[in-house]
Structures are given as structure tokens and as C-alpha cells.
Amino acid sequence: MMSSPLLFLLVILYLGTLFFVAFWAEKKKSNFWVNNPYVYSLSLAVYCSAWTYYGSIGVASNQGLEYLAVYIGPVIIIPAWIYINSKIIRISRVNKISSIADFISLRYGNRRFLGALVAGVCILAVIPYIGLQIKAISETFHLMTGSENSDNILLDNATYVVLIIAIFSAYYGTKYVDASEKRLGIISAVAFESFLKLVFFLALGVFVTYGVFNGFDDIYEQASKLPDFKQKNTLNGLEGGFNWFLMSLLSMSAIFLLPRQFHTTIVENRTEKHLKTAIWLFPLYLLLLNLFVFPIAWGGKILFLGENVNPEFYSILIPQKFGNTLIAAMVFFGGLSACISMIIISSISLSVMLSNNIIIPYGWLNSLKSETENSNNRTIVNIRKASIFSLIILGFMYMRYLISSSTLFSVGLIAFVLIAQLAPSFFGAVFWRRGSFAGAVTGIIAGILISYAYLIVPNYFEFGYQNSAFFNFFKLDYLSPVANVFFWSLLINGGLFMIISSCVAENYRARNFAELYVDINDYIQHHENAYIWKGTANISDIRRILARFLGEKKTKQALKIFNLKYNISDENDSADARFIKFSENLLSGRIGTASAKILIDGVTKEDKITLPEVLRILEESKDNISMNKQLTEHSHQLRKMSEKLQDANETLLIKDRQKDDFLDSVAHELRTPITAIRATSELLMDDEDMPTEIKKDFLENIISESDRLAEIINDILYLDKLEAGTTPLNLEHGNIVNSYHKALKPLLQLFEQKHLHHSEVNLLQEETFVYDEMKMIQVFQNILGNALKFAGDQGMIQVKFQEKDGRLKVSIFNTGKTIPDEDLEFIFEKFYQSKHQNLRKPVGSGLGLAICKRILNAHGGDIAAVNKEIGVTFELTLPNRNEII
Amino acid sequence: MKKILIADDEHKIIMTLEYAFRKAGYEVYIARDGAEVLEIIKTEIPDIILLDIMMPNVDGYTTLSEIRKDKSYENIKVVFLSAKTGEADIKKGLERGADAYVTKPYSIKKLTEKVEKLLK
């Protein structure tokens, strides 16, 4: 046992930690919290409330395997999340949907009544559920401290714990006016709690299974001797199977429809990618959480045989019985975590519905219309704060005065049945175009009435009608009361929904949204285009309304974005359908979709549209969208082509410039020998006294310079021929290594003079290839000549022959200067001169490498230069064409 | 005796210039590139330099800029001798502070006259 003040203090400390996590995550907005699929997945575990934490143990010991159905349903449907929830997330994103009430009501024509109805169903279902959490907190608090439940609520510590939670939720749940904004702080705190509750529960499980007992087998063996063991741990044939099936269906719908699940899964989803993590992590979480339910439940039964204790609290009673306060406290805090998360998220989502679907559209809209942005924001936030606070207090009252005698499990199941009444209109919204407002409303009301008459009222009050023949007429004996009511209410609800929807023609607005919901993937890009609206409206009027809620600055910004998106001039003042939808979206998060529509309707004049017209426009817009897609694709292609053209143009310009450079340097090369020849001739002619020795030298100079001239001219002509393909290759079998040696031989003396070291690496198995030997010798000499020039004294040149992928590869490496990187790919260009060479002496005429490349290309090979740490390697490749000749 | 420094990397061109200017009574110095020019003028200040533009290591433009930076060289006349004949090249050469720009191929006789005129 712990003293009451101490535990209270610990609770305060624990809540402080939560405050801190929420505050910290909100403030830092670090990527860890913001974009973390694990945080998202863990926040979904808000599904596991006190009902899971304590309730399932109670069910496992009282009813046996039934508790599993609550988890099996979700686990079965989770793989389909990728499909279903992606769709719902997309719909919600483009329509700025912030609650399940908005989600359903928008689809059926965005009428405020349906939104209010859904919100009402949620509130009716969830307030007792919140009460149930508070009951768990209160009871475990008393259990931990050994104190008695006080009749005076002011003297009950649990009251104050609830108050603190209410304040915390009201504060953090309303940080943003826009309800579709992500609540980073709260979600981080919930994820943190989910983690804690799992760890604490596992700790308890290990303690009971291995600390108190000797493992699973031991518990099983002892438990199987209990008289009711067998009966509780079988499915009870077809009847039991039927119950199971219905319970699984019930929980399957709950995982979509519970407001807290809709909120964490859809509204708080940041990216669809996170679903991929959730679909394995969440089932794993459920599995781990259920791992020890059975041992704890039956362990408790063995330990407390014959004693009058509530099995729901075995998890605290067992460690207490063995004097382990630490484990008991951990369990208490795990339970507290489960309760708090559920209370916070449920109350936030309910408050959004209460404000956006009931209070604002039915009461506050007119006053909001005439106020300023700041005061409106304040009003909206205050409404939500008050809603959260009062919802939690209501839950507390409910627990104090109505459910004190019920088990956690039954209250939870009843909430499930009520929430399940939304299933036909919810799933119909996503998958069935014909679903209509009338069908949805009738179905939901009928389902709720049945649930109340047959399940909820009998659960709390004793009236005469429960024993009447009419009441019992529908009762299927083999179904549990909950399964029975679930079956009938859903059958009638769904039936009415389908029959009425099929018979009554829907209005155009609902039909419009039906298309948008069911085919969201077609519209996701241009959803505003798919909104149908005809009438007259001025942008300036709508702008004034927007400014009342968003403020001048944000409104201006939003309009700018809109105009940019659709390429509309800023001066344009007539609003079209896209603008109407865009504006409604801007308001939706703050005041709900219905109120947004009402506000916008107030300043616009809408023309009536017939259903066939809607269908025609939709068809057109679909065509438009697909045309748009094509246009986008085409423009994309065009852009690519124009980029290519530009590239080509630039290359041409460069080539042109290179050509100029080349001609320039060729001219230079020609002018140099001509200068020498001219000057020498001049001197020879004018100077009759020139000594014979010098005269001889000068005449020799004239001859050698003339040769040089001829060589340059030959090079140019040769290159030209190679390019034109007029010099056919003389292809023959030859030994490439021998050919290399023929090229090397005349240069060897020069190598020695410069003290260059030459080495060879031969990795060839077969040295015979097919090539034009004369031309290849020319290539080798050219490369070797280059290497000789650049290698500098004491350098080295190495040649390597190898075969790679069926091609001959000859690498000639020389030490010395590397080639500037920007020149590497151009040095083989015919008209290329390195930019530095324009000032410094060009090495050769700049034709040698171009000639080499043409020769190798003519062979079907190639040449490339690669810079190495201490020099350059020229890599020559030739195809192995042994087999061709 | 007037001192002339000839800077060119073409051996055969140097031979002719050296012969012609010796004959005309100049004291001739030879440089193979810009670096050698800058080295030589540290000890022997010539009256005139015939400077090629495209040379290994240090090109003619850079050499001239270096010369023009130093006050003690302000009396040296510089003539560019270049196979670069574009208008832009000539303009660039003169802007750098050359006293004349002679394009290759040139007449030795005319070149000698030009040099003498510059040194008067």
C-alpha cells in the first residue's frame, strides 16, 4: 500500500513529465517527433485504453476467450489500411476535414444536420467511455492506497487527478485554431504513454508468469484444474463462433470509427508512408499487450480463489498480494497512461465536433461573422477549451452517478455498439456513389434507437418493456446481448441506408462529393476543379469573410497562392467554383465544413444545378483532368526538348568557338614556320657577306620548316579524310603487343635521354586482334609522344594490355602534369584547344589526339583520358573482332 | 651599344633575329620564355625587348605585366612579336603597355627600322 498523498504526488510528477514531453516536442519540432512513423504508430495505440489494460483481464477470467475478439477485428482489417486509410487520409487532406463528423457530413451534401447527428452519436458513445477511464483511475487509486471511495467528491483524490487531466487536455488540445492542424505535443505525449503502458504491462506479465508462477505451463496446469476452465476457453461451437465473429466485426469498425482513432489515424497523419510502419507495428503492439492477459487472468483466479475481488484489477492485486509495490505502482501508472491518452484524444476530437458541428453552426456563426480575426480565434479556442473541459467533467459525473456498478468491459462494448452505427454511412461514403443523405440519417437514427432501447437503457434502468414479448421477439438466444443488439442495429441501419439511398435521388452537392470521395485518386491533384458550383460571387466579398478568420496577412497570402496555382490575374474579382471550394477549405479547419459552407453561401448567389448537369460537368472535369494530365505531360516533354535544344545550341556555340580557336592555333602553327622561312630568306637575300657556315644553317632551317609546314597540312587533311571515312581501314589479324613495340622502338632513345622508365604489363591470354596496324602504330606513337613531353625527367611510362568484357584495353600511363578536369572530355575534340593553350604554346597542332580518337572510333573502339594522382592514363579500347574475319 | 632582348621559344626564329640585330650593332640577349626574360632583366636592363606572346611557362602578356609593375624597368621598350593576328589580341597587347605589336610573319628589315625608330 502507498499513502494517498505520496501517490497523488507521484501522479502530479507523472503528469508533469507528460506536460514536459508535450511541451518539448511542440517547442523543438525536431524531426524525431515530427516525421517519425513510430511515433505515429504508437499514437494509434491510444486504442488500448483502461478497458484493455484492466478490462480484458476481467473478461478473460469471467468470460474466457471473448476478450480476444476486440483485438482480432483490428488485426484482421489492418492490412487493408493501406487501401482504405490512404483513401480516407487523402479525402480528409484535400477537404481539410478535422473530424469524423465532418468526414461523413461533407460526403452527404455538407449539411449541418448530419454533422451534428454524427457528433451527437460520438458524444453519446464516448462520454461514458471517458467516464470508464476515470472510473479506472479512481478505483486503482483507491486500490493502491487502500483508501475508500469517498462520497464527497471534493474529498476524493481521484477528482483532482481528473481536474488536472482536464486542464492539461484543454490547454494542449487547443494550441491551434485550425482543427486540421497537427498537434505535435499531444501526439508525442500519447506515443510516449503508449510506450510506457506496454513496458509496464509486460513487466507485470513477466512478474506474474515467472515471478509468482513457474511460467505459462505452470499457470495452465493449475488453472486447468479450476472447474470453469474448459468451458471458458472454448469457442462454444457454432453459436460461440457467431458471437466471436460479430464481436470481431464490432471491433473492426471501432478501429475506424472511434473518434480518437479517426483523429490519430487520419487527422494527425503527416504522410501516407507512415501507414506502412503502422500496419505491422500496431498489430505487434496489440499482440505484445495481449501476451500476458491470459496468464494474469488465470493466475489471479488461482490466487484469489474463493475471494470476492474484482478480476479486472488482478493486475494490481497480484503484485500487492506479494508485497511488490514497485510492480503495482508500475501497473497503476501504465493504466493511468492508458486512461489519460484516451481521455485527452477523445476529448479533443469530441470538442472539435462539438464546436465545429454543433455549437458554431447552430449558435455562434452570426456573431463570428461580424468579429475580427483575433476575437474570432479567441472565441473558437475558448469554445473548444470549454468543450474539452466540460466533456471530461461530464464523463466524471457519468462515472460517479451512473456506471459505478458496471464493469469496464461492458461500458466499453456499449460505446463500440453506438459508434458502430456510423459504419454504413462511413464506409458507404468511401465506396458507394449512391449513398445518400436521407439514407445515412435514417440509418444512423434507427441504429441508435435500437441500441438505446435494447442495450443501453436496460443496462442502467429497469423498465417493464424489457420483458415484453415484442422486445424478446428479435432476441437470438445464442447471441450475447451485445452481439445481439449489434447484429440487429447494424442490419436495420445498413438496410435502411441502402434501400433509401437506392430509392431517393440525391441532391447535386452530395453527388458531387460522392465522386470526389469514391474517386479521390483521380481528383487528388486538382480537387478544386472537381467541385461543382454555378452562380455569381465576388472574390472581394469572400475575401472579407476569410480575413475575419485568417487575418489580412494570411488571407492575402492564401489568395496569392490560389492565383498562382491556377494562373489567375490578381485583378480578377469574379469567383468561380475553384475559389469557392478553396475558401471553404480555408475555413473548414477552424469552424467545420458545414459552417464554412454556410458562411460562403451568405455572400454568394448560387444557381440551381440539376443532377444530369452535375454528371455532365463531372464527366467534363474528369476529361479536363485527364487532359490536364496529358497537357502537363506534353509540356513536360516540351520543356525537356527545349532544354535539349538549348544544350545543342550551346554545344554548337562552343564548337563554333572551338573551331575559331582551332583555326586560330592552326594559323599560328602555320605562321611560325612561315616566319622563320621568310626571315631566313630575307637575310639570305639581303646579306651578301653572310659566312658560309651560317648560310648553310639558314638553308637547312628553310628545309626543315618547310617540312614542318607540310606535316601540319598533312595532319589536317588526314583528319578530314578520317572523318569523311575516305581512308578505309586495312583490317588484318595482328599481334597487338608486337605492334606496340614497333611504335615504341624509334622512341626508346628519347626515353633514355630523358631518363624515363618504361614498363609493360601484359595480362592478355591471346595477343591476336583484328586492326589496322599502321594506324594503331600511329596512335601509340602519338600517345607515347605526348607522354614523353609531359612525363618530365626521371618520370615513368607504363603500358598495360588486358582484355575486359571481350574488348582489348590498352592503358598507357605517364607521370607528370594532370589534365585540367574541365578539359578532360574535350581533349579529343578536333577543334579543341585547352583554354590555357591559347596563351601558352600549344602542344603540337592540337590534332594528334583528335586523330587518335577518329582512328579508334573507326575500329569501333574508343579512347579516354583519366587523371591519376601523379599523372594521366590514356585508355584505349578495341573490340575483339577475332571472330569477324 | 644598344641592348636588345629577344624572347621566343622557336629556335629558328631566334637565329634569324639574333643574326640581324647583331649585324645592326646591338648587344643581343636571348630568352626562351617569359621566366627567362624576367631573370635576365634583373642583371641586364635592355633598351628593348622583342616579346613573343605564346611561350611555355610564362606567356608574353604576363611577362609584360610583370615588367610594367617595376619602376626600374620603365624605360624598357617592349615590342610584341606574335603570330596572333586578331584585332582583339593586338588591342590587348597594346593595352598591357607594349610600345608596338608586330605580327608574324614580318619583314626583318621593317622590324629593324621600327626598333630603331622606337629607340630614338
Side-chain angles (χ1 to χ4, degrees):
Chain A
M1 295 292 158
M2 287 172 98
S3 80
S4 203
L6 174 66
L7 187 61
F8 188 73
L9 191 74
L10 286 176
V11 169
I12 300 290
L13 271 178
Y14 178 76
L15 288 173
T17 316
L18 277 191
F19 264 108
F20 177 73
V21 169
F23 170 79
W24 193 59
E26 190 80 48
K27 187 171 169 238
K28 286 259 175 178
K29 287 207 166 31
S30 70
N31 219 27
F32 176 80
W33 296 112
V34 176
N35 212 346
N36 191 326
Y38 299 99
V39 169
Y40 173 73
S41 309
L42 279 174
S43 76
L44 302 184
V46 69
Y47 182 71
C48 304
S49 64
W51 177 25
T52 305
Y53 212 77
Y54 300 118
S56 357
I57 294 173
V59 181
S61 45
N62 289 336
Q63 277 114 319
L65 292 178
E66 207 176 291
Y67 77 96
L68 275 179
V70 177
Y71 308 98
I72 288 173
V75 170
I76 290 174
I77 200 70
I78 280 169
W81 275 13
I82 287 290
Y83 177 63
I84 303 174
N85 279 353
S86 303
K87 214 170 167 182
I88 297 173
I89 285 170
R90 283 175 188 184
I91 295 168
S92 303
R93 195 174 65 220
V94 303
N95 292 300
K96 283 278 193 173
I97 284 169
S98 51
S99 68
I100 189 170
D102 265 0
F103 184 82
I104 294 178
S105 66
L106 186 68
R107 157 64 183 83
Y108 299 101
N110 197 11
R111 274 169 281 203
R112 64 177 174 177
F113 175 71
L114 183 52
L117 180 66
V118 174
V121 170
C122 291
I123 290 168
L124 284 177
V126 178
I127 284 183
Y129 205 164
I130 291 176
L132 159 103
Q133 310 300 316
I134 298 173
K135 179 171 147 76
I137 296 177
S138 163
E139 287 191 11
T140 50
F141 191 91
H142 293 302
L143 210 58
M144 284 295 292
T145 55
S147 55
E148 281 298 309
N149 227 334
S150 172
D151 279 341
N152 185 339
I153 54 170
L154 293 178
L155 294 176
D156 194 341
N157 275 332
T159 311
Y160 297 100
V161 174
V162 170
L163 263 178
I164 295 169
I165 296 171
I167 292 167
F168 175 82
S169 315
Y171 178 73
Y172 269 101
T174 53
K175 289 278 285 188
Y176 307 101
V177 192
D178 190 328
S180 60
E181 283 275 349
K182 317 288 177 223
R183 293 164 178 77
L184 187 59
I186 288 285
I187 289 300
S188 307
V190 167
F192 175 64
E193 285 190 296
S194 290
F195 177 72
L196 284 186
K197 70 188 176 200
L198 178 63
V199 170
F200 290 163
F201 199 72
L202 288 177
L204 167 75
V206 172
F207 170 76
V208 173
T209 315
Y210 297 99
V212 178
F213 294 91
N214 284 322
F216 289 97
D217 289 349
D218 182 28
I219 296 178
Y220 183 83
E221 204 176 312
Q222 292 194 41
S224 58
K225 289 178 189 139
L226 296 176
D228 53 353
F229 182 81
K230 194 159 180 249
Q231 175 238 326
K232 281 182 179 161
N233 288 296
T234 46
L235 277 181
N236 295 327
L238 192 62
E239 294 175 12
F242 218 62
N243 268 313
W244 252 60
F245 172 71
L246 285 173
M247 286 297 115
S248 297
L249 270 185
L250 181 62
S251 57
M252 205 184 275
S253 61
I255 198 75
F256 287 101
L257 302 170
L258 281 173
R260 67 175 190 278
Q261 293 312 126
F262 188 87
H263 187 87
T264 48
T265 322
I266 310 296
V267 181
E268 296 288 348
N269 175 279
R270 280 171 193 275
T271 149
E272 286 171 36
K273 248 191 350 215
H274 288 176
L275 280 177
K276 285 192 181 151
T277 308
I279 61 165
W280 62 265
L281 188 60
F282 185 52
L284 180 68
Y285 187 98
L286 293 181
L287 176 77
L288 287 174
L289 203 69
N290 276 290
L291 200 57
F292 290 107
V293 168
F294 183 90
I296 297 168
W298 286 91
K301 280 195 92 132
I302 297 161
L303 293 169
F304 297 100
L305 197 63
E307 289 179 50
N308 182 22
V309 294
N310 184 351
E312 291 191 324
F313 297 117
Y314 278 160
S315 47
I316 286 179
L317 292 168
I318 298 175
Q320 272 185 345
K321 188 183 171 84
F322 290 89
N324 197 327
T325 316
L326 178 69
I327 297 280
M330 278 164 80
V331 174
F332 170 78
F333 280 103
L336 188 67
S337 292
C339 298
I340 291 175
S341 304
M342 187 279 170
I343 295 174
I344 291 175
I345 300 294
S346 298
S347 62
I348 289 173
S349 55
L350 288 185
S351 83
V352 169
M353 288 192 248
L354 193 59
S355 66
N356 285 5
N357 298 96
I358 298 177
I359 299 178
I360 294 175
Y362 280 99
W364 235 282
L365 212 47
N366 275 326
S367 80
L368 288 177
K369 230 169 11 189
S370 50
E371 288 294 331
T372 62
E373 172 217 359
N374 282 337
S375 103
N376 274 343
N377 282 351
R378 215 172 27 245
T379 312
I380 295 169
V381 168
N382 284 340
I383 291 174
R384 296 223 186 103
K385 275 203 170 101
S387 306
I388 292 179
F389 194 80
S390 38
L391 284 166
I392 295 177
I393 300 305
L394 262 176
F396 178 64
M397 295 300 174
Y398 195 89
M399 165 309 255
R400 292 282 315 189
Y401 303 111
L402 279 172
I403 55 169
S404 52
S405 60
S406 317
T407 61
L408 300 181
F409 192 80
S410 63
V411 178
L413 269 192
I414 289 168
F416 271 27
V417 174
L418 281 180
I419 278 295
Q421 302 312 320
L422 302 177
S425 49
F426 180 83
F427 292 108
V430 192
F431 297 110
W432 194 39
R433 281 188 181 77
R434 280 300 297 273
S436 74
F437 173 77
V441 169
T442 324
I444 292 173
I445 292 178
I448 291 292
L449 288 179
I450 294 169
S451 310
Y452 264 83
Y454 285 79
L455 187 66
I456 292 158
V457 177
N459 200 49
Y460 298 114
F461 310 101
E462 195 56 47
F463 285 125
Y465 76 87
Q466 284 103 326
N467 296 320
S468 68
F470 178 76
F471 185 81
N472 288 318
F473 181 75
F474 291 105
K475 211 173 229 165
L476 300 171
D477 288 335
Y478 47 85
L479 290 183
S480 71
V482 172
N484 198 46
V485 174
F486 173 67
F487 173 74
W488 284 110
S489 62
L490 254 286
L491 184 71
I492 291 169
N493 177 345
L496 283 171
F497 172 66
M498 285 199 275
I499 293 165
I500 294 177
S501 294
S502 303
C503 299
V504 183
E506 186 48 282
N507 82 358
Y508 76 93
R509 173 72 57 236
R511 188 59 216 235
N512 187 186
F513 278 111
E515 290 291 329
L516 237 161
Y517 272 46
V518 176
D519 288 332
I520 182 66
N521 292 339
D522 291 344
Y523 297 112
I524 187 95
Q525 293 285 340
H526 300 277
H527 64 97
E528 278 142 2
N529 276 330
Y531 183 73
I532 295 171
W533 187 90
K534 252 169 101 181
T536 42
N538 293 332
I539 288 183
S540 47
D541 294 331
I542 298 174
R543 194 181 191 287
R544 257 195 299 283
I545 297 202
L546 294 180
R548 293 215 183 285
F549 292 87
L550 277 70
E552 270 301 327
K553 205 175 138 205
K554 269 197 185 155
T555 307
K556 213 172 149 188
Q557 223 175 358
L559 292 196
K560 197 161 193 171
I561 291 170
F562 178 81
N563 285 345
L564 276 176
K565 184 175 173 190
Y566 291 108
N567 203 8
I568 294 171
S569 142
D570 286 342
E571 275 106 63
N572 175 40
D573 193 42
S574 78
D576 60 3
R578 294 178 302 195
F579 190 75
I580 304 280
K581 179 69 180 126
F582 177 75
S583 312
E584 282 187 13
N585 268 5
L586 284 174
L587 295 174
S588 286
R590 283 150 208 274
I591 53 174
T593 52
S595 305
K597 183 178 177 341
I598 295 169
L599 277 187
I600 300 291
D601 278 352
V603 292
T604 57
K605 220 180 122 227
E606 190 176 358
D607 296 341
K608 276 229 173 324
I609 310 179
T610 61
L611 197 56
E613 205 175 347
V614 170
L615 295 177
R616 186 182 55 75
I617 297 171
L618 276 172
E619 220 27 68
E620 267 174 25
S621 103
K622 244 187 190 166
D623 287 350
N624 267 337
I625 286 167
S626 77
M627 214 149 82
N628 239 324
K629 255 189 197 159
Q630 281 178 8
L631 270 178
T632 321
E633 266 165 35
H634 282 162
S635 87
H636 190 67
Q637 282 173 350
L638 270 176
R639 200 166 46 238
K640 264 194 175 163
M641 257 159 69
S642 99
E643 274 166 15
K644 271 190 187 160
L645 262 177
Q646 205 168 347
D647 278 355
N649 194 29
E650 268 167 26
T651 318
L652 266 180
L653 279 176
I654 290 171
K655 286 232 162 150
D656 238 26
R657 208 167 52 231
Q658 285 172 357
K659 191 169 176 173
D660 285 349
D661 286 351
F662 168 73
L663 288 176
D664 214 34
S665 76
V666 165
H668 182 274
E669 282 304 293
L670 292 172
R671 277 191 194 106
T672 305
I674 289 171
T675 306
I677 292 169
R678 194 192 185 290
T680 319
S681 315
E682 203 185 334
L683 289 173
L684 281 170
M685 194 170 80
D686 290 352
D687 191 346
E688 283 161 6
D689 320 328
M690 196 184 279
T692 328
E693 270 305 294
I694 296 180
K695 212 184 259 177
K696 208 181 148 207
D697 277 354
F698 277 177
L699 285 171
E700 268 174 14
N701 278 359
I702 291 179
I703 294 168
S704 70
E705 289 301 277
S706 304
D707 288 348
R708 184 169 152 195
L709 265 179
E711 198 185 311
I712 295 169
I713 292 165
N714 284 342
D715 270 358
I716 295 172
L717 292 177
Y718 183 52
L719 188 68
D720 200 50
K721 275 187 189 164
L722 275 174
E723 281 196 326
T726 45
T727 29
L729 293 178
N730 181 22
L731 291 175
E732 277 173 350
H733 282 285
N735 184 308
I736 193 74
V737 180
N738 286 350
S739 300
Y740 177 78
H741 287 155
K742 283 184 195 167
L744 179 67
K745 210 176 162 191
L747 296 168
L748 275 176
Q749 209 191 340
L750 291 170
F751 277 48
E752 265 169 39
Q753 271 175 21
K754 277 190 95 178
H755 306 288
L756 288 175
H757 176 74
H758 178 266
S759 62
E760 259 178 62
V761 178
N762 187 351
L763 304 173
L764 292 177
Q765 304 212 324
E766 172 68 59
E767 295 174 357
T768 309
F769 290 88
V770 175
Y771 55 93
D772 181 327
E773 188 178 35
M774 287 308 291
K775 292 200 168 60
M776 279 310 291
I777 288 176
Q778 197 183 349
V779 169
F780 288 139
Q781 282 193 331
N782 209 311
I783 308 278
L784 286 171
N786 261 336
L788 200 60
K789 271 179 215 154
F790 288 108
D793 282 349
Q794 312 286 348
M796 69 164 283
I797 293 172
Q798 186 188 64
V799 63
K800 188 157 110 187
F801 299 93
Q802 65 198 110
E803 219 177 318
K804 243 187 181 173
D805 309 325
R807 291 166 77 86
L808 166 69
K809 186 173 170 193
V810 184
S811 312
I812 302 174
F813 166 76
N814 67 271
T815 54
K817 258 197 213 157
T818 54
I819 299 167
D821 283 342
E822 71 263 25
D823 290 347
L824 268 179
E825 54 175 315
F826 298 115
I827 55 172
F828 301 101
E829 293 278 326
K830 182 174 70 167
F831 295 123
Y832 188 76
Q833 288 282 317
S834 162
K835 54 183 178 191
H836 304 294
Q837 288 197 9
N838 216 9
L839 282 184
R840 295 191 189 138
K841 194 78 190 158
V843 180
S845 59
L847 291 173
L849 288 176
I851 289 173
C852 290
K853 187 172 169 78
R854 299 307 180 282
I855 290 175
L856 282 159
N857 287 352
H859 277 87
D862 206 356
I863 181 170
V866 184
N867 277 328
K868 301 281 159 163
E869 216 168 306
I870 50 163
V872 182
T873 298
F874 282 88
E875 291 174 347
L876 290 63
T877 52
L878 275 181
N880 183 353
R881 293 204 291 198
N882 281 348
E883 59 280 349
I884 292 178
I885 287 188
Chain B
M1 227 198 293
K2 297 265 164 71
K3 292 176 186 169
I4 188 164
L5 171 58
I6 302 165
D8 202 314
D9 62 329
E10 285 290 333
H11 173 63
K12 281 147 197 166
I13 288 176
I14 288 178
M15 273 173 77
T16 56
L17 289 174
E18 190 187 359
Y19 181 84
F21 282 100
R22 280 238 164 94
K23 192 116 202 264
Y26 286 82
E27 196 174 324
V28 181
Y29 297 89
I30 306 289
R32 297 303 186 107
D33 62 20
E36 282 186 24
V37 171
L38 296 172
E39 200 57 42
I40 290 170
I41 60 175
K42 274 184 196 162
T43 49
E44 294 290 340
I45 296 187
D47 299 284
I48 193 158
I49 301 175
L50 300 184
L51 196 58
D52 188 14
I53 292 177
M54 281 164 105
M55 291 186 292
N57 301 321
V58 181
D59 66 78
Y61 291 133
T62 318
T63 313
L64 179 57
S65 304
E66 288 299 310
I67 294 172
R68 289 295 178 239
K69 271 187 204 162
D70 197 324
K71 270 220 154 172
S72 48
Y73 301 143
E74 64 184 351
N75 292 324
I76 302 179
K77 305 271 188 225
V78 175
V79 177
F80 270 133
L81 283 186
S82 176
K84 290 166 81 73
T85 56
E87 234 173 86
D89 297 315
I90 297 174
K91 197 170 162 234
K92 190 173 167 191
L94 295 174
E95 274 169 3
R96 298 277 169 114
D99 298 280
Y101 193 108
V102 177
T103 55
K104 292 177 180 174
Y106 43 77
S107 147
I108 293 245
K109 208 190 283 169
K110 282 188 185 153
L111 178 66
T112 328
E113 283 168 16
K114 191 162 218 156
V115 167
E116 287 199 333
K117 212 168 144 193
L118 273 171
L119 291 180
K120 254 179 199 165

